[in-house]
Amino acid sequence: MTKRTRRSFIAKTSLLALGATTSAWATAPAKPKLMHHVFFWLKNPASKEDLAKLIEGVKSLEKIETIRQLHIGVPASTEKRPVVDNSYAVSELIFFDDVAGQNTYQDHPIHKKFVADYSPLWEKVIVYDSMDI
Amino acid sequence: MTKRTRRSFIAKTSLLALGATTSAWATAPAKPKLMHHVFFWLKNPASKEDLAKLIEGVKSLEKIETIRQLHIGVPASTEKRPVVDNSYAVSELIFFDDVAGQNTYQDHPIHKKFVADYSPLWEKVIVYDSMDI
């Protein structure tokens, strides 16, 4: 195999492996695949009261039936490194089965009430949605 | 109760609840508490080959003994909203028992080899470390 062919082979087999995983999951959902990572920055980062309120708000989401796991976090006391951004106040990590599960959550009255009631507390929110491979 | 007293009460009980959770876990670690969220942006975002290589690199980390769960992801096809940043190429989510578990990982030869071998592929990396509450 030439170098180019070998590299192409590696790329193709890797993509095939990804495809196989996706297909297997489509027919038999073994574990939640959609990870919804949310990081909140408070308008008043020094306010313990606002922090407690926002955590209470995020906890209210757990009643939404398509949530498989909900992890609420605060910045960990890990080593300060240039790539680490621990300036947020609260993290929310939700596992859904799939995109449809997250869509149900986005449109759910409990989620809409959460945004209406608690968004005045936050200055910024960043969301990353990942599909487990 | 006055409004001020009630708010203070709510804040204190919320903090007490947090404290209770932390103490219970300190004596009996029921589940991993440290969530290490990493998002990678590739120098060549259009390269499927670089994407496959980086995923292969992240997979090599799973041999590190303090890792309780490793989830490798790619951007999900969720709705495009202003708060969603799905411009990254690969997400890595690792659960450790605690900060010590992550420190072992950071200093581990497998992790050092991963950074040495694969960091030329990425342009940017952002890390968020959260403690589950």
Side-chain angles (χ1 to χ4, degrees), chain A residues 16 27 30 32 43 62 72 87 97 115 124 128:
Chain A
L16 275 174
T27 50
K43 275 185 194 151
E62 71 187 351
I72 306 171
S87 64
D97 285 337
V115 175
K124 188 176 77 165
Y128 303 95

Side-chain angles (χ1 to χ4, degrees), chain A residues 14 17-18 28 35-37 46 49-50 52-53 57 65 73-75 100 102 104 106-107 115 117 126:
Chain A
S14 301
L18 291 179
M35 296 171 284
H36 178 61
H37 309 255
E49 196 174 60
D50 285 6
K53 270 193 216 167
E65 60 275 12
V74 292
Q102 183 172 325
T104 300
Q106 291 290 346
D107 297 336
V115 175
D117 291 352
I126 298 183

Side-chain angles (χ1 to χ4, degrees), chain A residues 7-8 11 14-15 18 31 34-37 39 41 48-49 52 55-56 71-78 81 83-86 88 91 93 95 99 102 106 125-133, chain B residues 7-8 10-11 14-15 18 31 34-37 39 41 48-49 52 55 71-78 81 83-86 88 91 93 95 99 102 106 125-133:
Chain A
R7 286 207 307 207
S8 170
S14 301
L15 289 175
L18 291 179
K31 60 171 184 172
L34 199 288
M35 296 171 284
H36 178 61
H37 309 255
F39 300 91
W41 282 259
K48 298 282 177 204
E49 196 174 60
I55 290 172
E56 166 202 285
H71 299 272
I72 306 171
V74 292
S77 55
T78 46
R81 297 178 296 131
V83 293
V84 178
D85 183 356
N86 278 356
Y88 66 92
S91 69
L93 168 66
F95 286 79
V99 173
Q102 183 172 325
Q106 291 290 346
V125 57
I126 298 183
V127 176
Y128 303 95
D129 287 321
S130 307
M131 192 56 81
D132 207 332
I133 58 173
Chain B
R7 288 204 310 205
S8 169
I10 291 169
S14 301
L15 289 173
L18 291 179
K31 61 172 186 173
L34 198 288
M35 296 171 284
H36 179 61
H37 310 254
F39 300 91
W41 282 258
K48 299 280 178 205
E49 197 175 62
I55 290 172
H71 299 272
I72 306 172
V74 293
S77 55
T78 46
R81 296 179 296 132
V83 295
V84 178
D85 182 356
N86 278 357
Y88 65 92
S91 69
L93 169 65
F95 285 80
V99 173
Q102 183 173 327
Q106 291 290 347
V125 56
I126 297 184
V127 177
Y128 303 95
D129 287 322
S130 308
M131 191 58 78
D132 207 333
I133 58 174

